[in-house]
Amino acid sequence: MLRFALRRILMAVPTLLIMAVSVFVLIRLIPGDPASLMLGDLADAASLADLRQRLGLDQSLPIQFMIWFGNVLQGDLGNSITSSQPVLPLVLDRFWISARIVLIAVLIASVIAVPAGMIAAWRQNSTLDLALVGTATVLLSIPTFWLGLLLLLFFGLKLEWLPVVGYVSFMENPTAALLYIIMPVMTLFLHEMGVLIRMARASTLEVLRLDYITHARAKGLSENAVLWRHAFKNAFGPTWTLIGLVLGNLLGGIAVVETVFTIPGLGRLLVDSIFARDYPVIQGCLLFVAFVYVVVNLIVDLLYPVFDPRVTAE
């Protein structure tokens, strides 16, 4: 197991390095001079020169990257141009807001979708199977921003059960905070339920066709025992992988939902920084999202042998 973990960790290192290079290059590919874009057209030459020096833009690209990457390894992502705050604490504060919403959504989606997908496979071609597959397809077809707007219109404006937009910290008022995140969580878990139902159904169908399932049935085991004691263990492995991918994707793509519901999370910070041309914050957000995505998938790889007995961690 130790060798398996070390191999996966070593594979993650070059991935993170490639991500860092990609983030650095993409920011530099944005048209125009970053200093001019930050200060505006009316900035004088002295201000431009000072800002370029502070950002290291007066150096060659390789030197800029080495300086920036060296600072990143020390946990220094620079300072925000608009607020002068250190980028890393700012990103971490916003990240926990996004992470709370994403984790709750993925947990609810997994608890509902995985059993639903397995039941759909168990009752293949039945009315229940067709209903579950149809529901999953519809949920997958609706964009998250449109689903969020529909929930906002129905529960916020029509029924007035939930606050429309805004955010309250759990430290300030736990009850109000819970009410404010219900619709963002619903938006994410309804959309991801479609993905997980289809994956759980496909994995279970594949397992139910294997010989050992036929043998278990021939021994006289009930269908419930066959499904939950034998099929579930082998069918959950691919679904577990997808759960990890969904978790990483939601953390990276939550900006749309946070913009719809005005949640001050990491995605909203990235969007606001793009409009403000705050390049240190943009770089910090992108690099942090890439880091989280790699770490989440690394954890999924390390836990895969636990959930799928057919895989050995050698």
Side-chain angles (χ1 to χ4, degrees):
M1 182 66 184
L2 180 59
R3 185 181 301 176
F4 176 82
L6 289 175
R7 188 165 61 246
R8 288 295 187 271
I9 292 172
L10 289 175
M11 290 172 60
V13 172
T15 304
L16 289 172
L17 181 58
I18 293 172
M19 290 292 185
V21 173
S22 301
V23 168
F24 180 83
V25 171
L26 286 173
I27 293 298
R28 266 58 185 182
L29 288 178
I30 297 176
D33 178 21
S36 300
L37 292 173
M38 292 176 190
L39 297 179
D41 297 332
L42 300 180
D44 57 82
S47 299
L48 287 172
D50 179 65
L51 181 57
R52 287 178 61 83
Q53 184 178 8
R54 285 194 290 117
L55 296 178
L57 298 175
D58 56 341
Q59 305 289 335
S60 64
L61 287 179
I63 294 178
Q64 288 183 42
F65 176 76
M66 295 303 296
I67 294 174
W68 175 74
F69 190 65
N71 292 333
V72 168
L73 293 178
Q74 299 176 42
D76 180 12
L77 299 180
N79 294 322
S80 169
I81 299 299
T82 56
S83 65
S84 300
Q85 292 179 265
V87 172
L88 183 57
L90 181 62
V91 169
L92 289 175
D93 287 343
R94 299 295 190 94
F95 167 73
W96 293 120
I97 297 174
S98 301
R100 186 181 295 115
I101 295 173
V102 168
L103 288 173
I104 294 174
V106 171
L107 178 62
I108 296 174
S110 301
V111 169
I112 297 176
V114 174
M118 295 184 66
I119 293 172
W122 180 38
R123 302 290 299 275
Q124 185 182 14
N125 297 327
S126 66
T127 303
L128 179 60
D129 178 31
L130 295 176
L132 288 172
V133 173
T135 301
T137 303
V138 170
L139 292 175
L140 273 172
S141 304
I142 303 176
T144 51
F145 76 90
W146 182 246
L147 182 58
L149 290 174
L150 290 177
L151 294 176
L152 192 151
L153 176 64
F154 185 71
F155 291 104
L157 298 180
K158 293 290 185 181
L159 300 179
E160 298 183 353
W161 288 356
L162 298 170
V164 177
V165 292
Y167 177 78
V168 175
S169 171
F170 276 87
M171 301 297 293
E172 298 176 7
N173 190 330
T175 302
L178 184 61
L179 292 176
Y180 274 101
I181 68 169
I182 286 178
M183 283 196 288
V185 168
M186 286 178 63
T187 302
L188 294 178
F189 95 76
L190 285 174
H191 185 268
E192 299 307 326
M193 263 184 58
V195 180
L196 295 177
I197 287 175
R198 292 174 68 91
M199 173 56 79
R201 180 180 181 274
S203 301
T204 306
L205 282 175
E206 181 181 354
V207 170
L208 289 176
R209 297 190 181 105
L210 298 178
D211 293 339
Y212 81 92
I213 296 294
T214 304
H215 178 68
R217 285 171 172 161
K219 291 192 324 184
L221 291 178
S222 66
E223 284 297 313
N224 285 335
V226 170
L227 182 65
W228 299 110
R229 287 168 51 189
H230 295 277
F232 177 77
K233 292 181 180 179
N234 292 330
F236 187 67
T239 307
W240 166 248
T241 302
L242 185 61
I243 290 173
L245 293 173
V246 164
L247 184 59
N249 286 333
L250 287 182
L251 285 171
I254 196 176
V256 173
V257 173
E258 290 181 347
T259 300
V260 170
F261 294 102
T262 64
I263 303 294
L266 185 61
R268 182 68 183 274
L269 175 63
L270 178 60
V271 172
D272 292 342
S273 300
I274 292 172
F275 283 115
R277 300 294 195 272
D278 198 335
Y279 289 91
V281 178
I282 297 172
Q283 286 184 151
C285 289
L286 293 176
L287 187 63
F288 187 81
V289 168
F291 174 77
V292 170
Y293 191 91
V294 171
V295 170
V296 167
N297 283 278
L298 175 61
I299 294 173
V300 169
D301 282 344
L302 295 179
L303 293 179
Y304 198 94
V306 176
F307 292 104
D308 194 339
R310 295 172 295 179
V311 179
T312 57
E314 297 178 355

